[in-house]
Amino acid sequence: MTAEASNALPDAVRATRQRASAQVEAIAGELEEDIAMGLLHPRERLVEDVLMERFDAKRHVVRSALTTLETRGAVERRAHVGALVRSFSAQEVRDLYDVRELVETACARAIATPVPGEQIRPVEDAMHEHEQAVARGDRRSALRANIRFHEHLFGLAPNPFLVESVRRHARMASPIRSLTVVNDKLLERSRDEHRAMVVALREGRTDDLVRVCAAHLEPSRDAYLSLLGEL
């Protein structure tokens, strides 16, 4: 091996690893979106061979993507079965949403309001994107805009650990939230609640912001509990 080749090897290895890491994240992201859209259902098997063909990816990349989703709480593994979209018992739903309400309302209360125009603009932009997607019936774009809206909203809080907790528990709820994405009335409710949150941010009405954030969690929780016959 020449000196030039030896010196180039670390960069080549680094580039290969970066490409693999990007592919893992892309696959995990698309599967997570499919789960949140209800295209992959709770307890549905995620077969490695099928995913390898779908994404034109090697087995270790697919396994890493599934491990990523398992870490995020959207996928579970069972002995002699493999990876499945996570399912929840009624008590698990209640427990998860109790935690979501705690961290999201705490995060909302921590935001210093009224929020200046330059800081609130990303929240407003995501709100408008969500409204437009709902109006044209584009559920996938609505889902993406909804995620951006909440990331920008809760990102206004000064506590990064609290913000990350909100994000982590929201991701865990992806299989639960899928039941609301296909419901037009609930999408419209979500749109209206986003507007109320933005008004509260602008006008410094922290109590209203906290109240709407708590109410915003109810439809997905209740839809899943209803599906289980527990509501």
Side-chain angles (χ1 to χ4, degrees), residues 20-36 40 46 51 54-55 61-72 74-75 171 174:
S21 179
Q23 189 178 23
V24 167
E25 182 55 39
I27 293 171
E30 189 164 338
L31 290 174
E32 189 173 33
E33 196 171 85
D34 285 351
I35 291 169
L40 294 170
L46 299 171
L51 297 177
R54 171 181 171 181
F55 294 107
V61 172
V62 167
R63 284 182 176 170
S64 293
L66 292 175
T67 298
T68 296
L69 289 175
E70 185 179 16
T71 301
R72 293 176 183 174
V75 165
R171 275 183 149 162
S174 292

Side-chain angles (χ1 to χ4, degrees), residues 139-201:
R139 290 180 170 81
R140 189 174 291 273
S141 293
L143 172 67
R144 293 171 178 170
N146 180 71
I147 292 171
R148 285 194 297 274
F149 175 85
H150 289 285
E151 287 182 345
H152 290 308
L153 168 67
F154 292 119
L156 294 169
N159 186 331
F161 297 101
L162 189 55
V163 172
E164 178 55 30
S165 184
V166 168
R167 178 182 174 87
R168 179 162 55 89
H169 288 92
R171 275 183 149 162
M172 288 177 64
S174 292
I176 300 172
R177 291 185 291 123
S178 65
L179 297 176
T180 61
V181 175
V182 296
N183 187 307
D184 290 337
K185 288 185 178 180
L186 293 180
L187 282 175
E188 291 169 2
R189 170 175 167 167
S190 179
R191 174 202 62 198
D192 294 343
E193 288 174 343
H194 288 176
R195 292 172 180 169
M197 292 177 199
V198 169
V199 170
L201 288 171

